[in-house]
Amino acid sequence: MKQIKNFINGEFVVGSHNKFFDKRSPVDNQVIAQIAEASQSDVDAAVKAAHEALNGEWGRMTVDQRVEILYAVADEITRRFEDFVAAEMADTGQPNHVMRQVFIPRGAANFKVFADVVKNVPTESFTMSTPDGRGAVNYAVRNPKGVVGVISPWNAPFLLMTWKVGPALACGNTVVIKPSEETPMTTALLGEVMNAVGMPKGVFNVVNGFGPDSAGEFLTQHPMVDAITFTGETRTGTAIMKAAAEGMRDISFELGGKNAGVVFADANFDEAVNGIFRSAFLNSGQVCLGTERVYVERPIFDKFVAALKAKAEAVKYGRPEDHGSDYGPLISAEHKQKVMSYYKKAVDEGATVVTGGGVPTMPDDLKNGHWIQPTIWTGLPETASVVQEEIFGPCCHIRPFDTDEEVIKLANDTQYGLSTTIWTTNLARAHTVAAKIDVGITWVNSWFLRDLRTAFGGSKQSGIGREGGVHSLEFYTETRNICIKL
C-alpha cells in the first residue's frame, strides 16, 4: 500500500506517533494510500525547521538566487508533469483533461509568475525637504514575513496550494503546509521536487492530518507561525481567525461563495450556455468560484434552461483516465451526503427539478464511488436554502429577470461576495452592471480566466485580503521605511 509521509526539514517522515489514516478514491471508494498523520510534536518540528531556515542558507540568498531556484521548481514540475497529473487524478477523481489543461500547468506557473513579480516590481522612494535645507530620502525595503502557515483545500489542491507557496517563497518566507486530508498526494510530490532542485532544508515543510485537535489546529495555534493563508469554507476560516488573534498574526482568507451568473438577452447565446455550464459543473461543481445562482433575462429564459438541461444530461461519467470521460465524482462520501441533503431540501422547498437531483446508474466497478447528477432547479424564491447557502456541488438554480436594476439587486442578495460572471454584448451595460455587483472578481463573457498579476479575493463572508501580483507582496512581506538625512 502506498504511503504518503510528512515532509519535515527536507526529509519524508512517518511522524512521532506512527499513526496513519486511509485515503480513499472518490471514483470507487477503494483505499489507495495510507497517510501519515502528523502529531503536535511533528508540527512543532516543522515550524522550528522553517524558522531556522530563515536564518540559514535560504535567508542569505539574494532575490536573483531565489528566482533561479523557483524557476527550477517550475521546470521540475513540468518534467514530472505526468506524475503530478496522475497523483491529482487519484486524489480528486476528476477528468484527465482538467488536470492536464488547467490545474497542473497553473501550479507550475505560480512559481514563475511570482518569481518574476518579486524580481521586477520596485519599491517606493520619496525625497523630502528638511528645515536645514539639506533634505532627506525615504525608501522602502521588503522583508519576508517569516514562517507562513498554508492551509490548502481539496477541490483544486495543487493549483491552490502553489498559489500560496509560490509567492510566499518568492518573497523569502518559509512555509509549513497542511494539505487537505482528502488530497495530500501532489503536495508530497512537491517535496520531492524541492529536494531535486536543491531547495535548502526547512524552507518547505508538509504536515498531514485533520483540523480540530490535529495538524491544522496545531499549525494555526503555533506561536512561531507569523502569518496564515487559508482557502476553504467560511466556518473554518472563522476558527482560524480566532487562533490567529493570539499573537496578532496576519491572515489572508479566500472563503465560501454563492456566486451569481447573469445572462442578458443580447448575449451570444451558445457562448453563454457553454460558459454557465462550465461555471456550474466544472470539477463536479466543487469550485469556490462556481455559479450556483443563474439569472437569465426573461425573453431567452425558457430557451436557456432547455439548452443548459441538454448539456447537463450529456455529461460522460467515468474514471479520470478513461478516454471521453468529462465528469468526475464528488470528493468523499461525507461531501456527497451533504450535497444530496440539499438536493432533497430543494424539492422540499418547492423547486422544479429541471434535470438531475439524484445519483446516476454506474457500472459495478464504480457504483461505490461518490457520483452525483448535475442538477438544475427553477421556481424557488430567493429566500430558499439552496439559493442562499453554499452547496459546493454540481447544481444551480435559474431565475428570470426583467431589468438591470432587478438583477443587480438579486446578484447582491447574499452573504457572500466572491465572484460573478456576466454575459452580454452591450459593453456599456457590462461596465455598469459589473461595477455594481459586490464581489472580488467579475468576468464578462468568460469565467475562470485568471491573470495572476491581478488582485484576487472575496468581499463580505467570502474572504479577507487580496493576493495576486503586487497584492501578494503586500501580504507575504513586511514593508519597512528607511529615512536617511542628507
Side-chain angles (χ1 to χ4, degrees):
M1 179 66 68
K2 182 180 180 66
Q3 287 188 347
I4 304 296
K5 299 178 181 180
N6 303 295
F7 186 74
I8 299 174
N9 203 27
E11 303 290 337
F12 285 99
V13 296
V14 169
S16 61
H17 59 186
N18 197 31
K19 188 176 180 181
F20 290 82
F21 59 91
D22 291 342
K23 162 59 191 173
R24 292 181 176 272
S25 168
V27 171
D28 56 16
N29 204 37
Q30 295 295 308
V31 177
I32 57 174
Q34 294 281 309
I35 315 302
E37 183 178 357
S39 67
Q40 188 164 6
S41 63
D42 296 328
V43 174
D44 183 61
V47 174
K48 287 179 177 176
H51 185 75
E52 291 172 6
L54 292 168
N55 299 314
E57 178 187 358
W58 179 250
R60 294 190 296 270
M61 283 187 180
T62 64
V63 171
D64 285 345
Q65 289 171 325
R66 289 204 307 269
V67 166
E68 183 177 351
I69 200 168
L70 292 179
Y71 260 73
V73 169
D75 290 342
E76 181 67 7
I77 292 169
T78 301
R79 189 185 73 80
R80 297 192 59 181
F81 187 80
E82 297 300 331
D83 294 338
F84 279 92
V85 168
E88 198 90 328
M89 287 195 303
D91 261 348
T92 66
Q94 293 303 312
N96 182 288
H97 71 88
V98 176
M99 304 303 147
R100 191 172 295 279
Q101 297 174 15
V102 183
F103 289 172
I104 304 305
R106 264 284 306 275
N110 283 331
F111 288 98
K112 288 189 176 181
V113 167
F114 289 107
D116 288 341
V117 169
V118 167
K119 186 174 181 178
N120 293 302
V121 173
T123 56
E124 62 186 10
S125 65
F126 299 95
T127 59
M128 62 181 291
S129 59
T130 58
D132 62 7
R134 294 166 61 184
V137 175
N138 291 269
Y139 66 93
V141 294
R142 292 193 182 100
N143 290 75
K145 195 151 284 184
V147 178
V148 178
V150 177
I151 314 292
S152 55
W154 49 256
N155 58 315
F158 187 62
L159 185 160
L160 293 174
M161 178 267 294
T162 57
W163 168 249
K164 301 171 183 299
V165 172
L169 297 187
C171 291
N173 301 282
T174 57
V175 296
V176 180
I177 305 158
K178 206 295 282 186
S180 168
E181 62 273 17
E182 301 286 357
T183 53
M185 292 191 185
T186 46
T187 307
L189 268 181
L190 191 54
E192 296 180 13
V193 167
M194 295 296 174
N195 281 348
V197 303
M199 181 68 75
K201 290 185 176 182
V203 173
F204 177 90
N205 305 273
V206 182
V207 289
N208 294 303
F210 305 90
D213 198 33
S214 188
E217 183 176 307
F218 302 150
L219 180 60
T220 57
Q221 291 185 351
H222 201 291
M224 293 173 66
V225 171
D226 300 293
I228 302 168
T229 175
F230 167 73
T231 296
E233 65 175 359
T234 302
R235 181 177 56 184
T236 305
T238 301
I240 294 174
M241 191 172 182
K242 290 177 180 177
E246 291 290 335
M248 303 298 291
R249 277 91 54 76
D250 284 345
I251 56 172
S252 179
F253 288 169
E254 186 218 320
L255 305 176
K258 190 69 177 178
N259 310 302
V262 178
V263 182
F264 288 96
D266 63 10
N268 181 306
F269 185 83
D270 291 339
E271 289 183 2
V273 171
N274 290 334
I276 294 296
F277 172 80
R278 185 166 174 261
S279 69
F281 303 122
L282 179 73
N283 212 36
S284 302
Q286 300 167 125
V287 180
C288 53
L289 299 163
T291 303
E292 292 188 2
R293 299 180 297 138
V294 182
Y295 302 102
V296 180
E297 198 166 9
R298 196 174 299 276
I300 63 168
F301 178 79
D302 291 337
K303 179 182 177 184
F304 187 92
V305 171
L308 194 64
K309 174 181 184 290
K311 287 189 69 68
E313 292 176 349
V315 299
K316 297 178 181 178
Y317 306 91
R319 294 183 179 274
E321 65 272 16
D322 289 350
H323 180 71
S325 171
D326 61 6
Y327 184 84
L330 298 184
I331 191 65
S332 66
E334 180 183 20
H335 189 55
K336 179 181 177 181
Q337 183 179 23
K338 173 196 170 183
V339 176
M340 287 297 296
S341 74
Y342 276 102
Y343 281 15
K344 180 180 183 301
K345 191 176 293 186
V347 174
D348 292 343
E349 292 180 328
T352 297
V353 180
V354 176
T355 190
V359 176
T361 301
M362 303 298 294
D364 288 345
D365 64 325
L366 298 178
K367 66 182 180 181
N368 292 324
H370 314 312
W371 303 93
I372 195 168
Q373 292 176 324
T375 297
I376 301 170
W377 304 294
T378 60
L380 289 173
E382 293 299 293
T383 54
S385 300
V386 298
V387 179
Q388 287 296 318
E389 298 172 14
E390 183 183 39
I391 300 170
F392 216 62
C395 55
C396 64
H397 178 262
I398 312 180
R399 170 176 173 157
F401 72 89
D402 296 296
T403 67
D404 294 12
E405 292 74 18
E406 179 191 9
V407 79
I408 291 168
K409 183 178 179 180
L410 290 169
N412 285 331
D413 185 18
T414 173
Q415 62 183 324
Y416 298 106
L418 190 55
S419 73
T420 193
T421 176
I422 298 171
W423 297 83
T424 179
T425 55
N426 184 324
L427 185 60
R429 167 185 275 163
H431 282 295
T432 301
V433 174
K436 293 180 179 179
I437 297 181
D438 188 9
V439 293
I441 182 170
T442 297
W443 284 285
V444 177
N445 297 329
S446 66
W447 176 78
F448 213 48
L449 184 63
R450 287 283 295 122
D451 186 325
L452 303 185
R453 298 169 297 181
T454 61
F456 180 79
S459 60
K460 297 189 276 190
Q461 291 196 37
S462 286
I464 296 174
R466 294 291 182 270
E467 295 185 33
V470 296
H471 307 280
S472 287
L473 303 190
E474 294 172 4
F475 176 69
Y476 290 106
T477 63
E478 294 278 6
T479 303
R480 302 175 185 177
N481 183 68
I482 296 175
C483 180
I484 299 180
K485 177 74 163 56
L486 301 177

